Amino acid sequence: MRSLQRKNFIIAGFIFLLLLAVAVFAPSRSACAAEGKGAVQLNAGISLADNLVALTGKTVTIYFAGGQSMTGIVKEAKGGLLHLAKLSQKEFYDGMVSIDKIAAIETRVR
């Protein structure tokens, strides 16, 4: 009976230490979300092209003057062109857009 109690005590202690280690060494969920997504902010003081460069790797929706839109991940923005990867609702498609044709951009910042 004593050996069974001792064995249970050791197992309980091991589980407690394991849970303590997970709580101490695992980063908080909000810290992970902030690091993973990165702090994205749009800046009205810089050009649209510079904003798109800052959004590299982020998902954006761009709107054209006629009302059409495209959503994808900013792969690269330079030379007056925007490369959108992984276009939404179009599997295996990327797109290239002239930056001067873009009327607005939309992205998630919070």
Side-chain angles (χ1 to χ4, degrees):
M1 188 71 153
R2 257 193 191 295
S3 67
L4 183 60
Q5 286 178 337
R6 183 177 176 168
K7 194 177 202 180
N8 286 342
F9 182 73
I10 291 172
I11 291 172
F14 178 73
I15 291 172
F16 174 76
L17 289 175
L18 182 64
L19 290 174
L20 181 65
V22 168
V24 169
F25 294 112
S28 70
R29 190 171 194 168
S30 61
C32 286
E35 288 175 12
K37 303 219 183 238
V40 176
Q41 289 197 339
L42 297 174
N43 186 348
I46 61 176
S47 70
L48 185 65
D50 291 336
N51 273 292
L52 289 167
V53 169
L55 292 169
T56 300
K58 309 294 184 219
T59 300
V60 298
T61 301
I62 59 169
Y63 295 92
F64 302 100
Q68 305 91 339
S69 66
M70 291 177 79
T71 300
I73 298 172
V74 176
K75 180 117 179 174
E76 188 175 28
K78 68 178 183 180
L81 295 173
L82 168 65
H83 178 188
L84 282 179
K86 298 181 182 178
L87 295 178
S88 69
Q89 301 177 353
K90 292 187 176 185
E91 291 185 41
F92 310 112
Y93 281 84
D94 283 8
M96 189 73 70
V97 176
S98 178
I99 292 175
D100 63 343
K101 301 295 182 195
I102 298 173
I105 57 175
E106 177 181 273
T107 188
R108 184 174 180 167
V109 296
R110 290 179 209 83

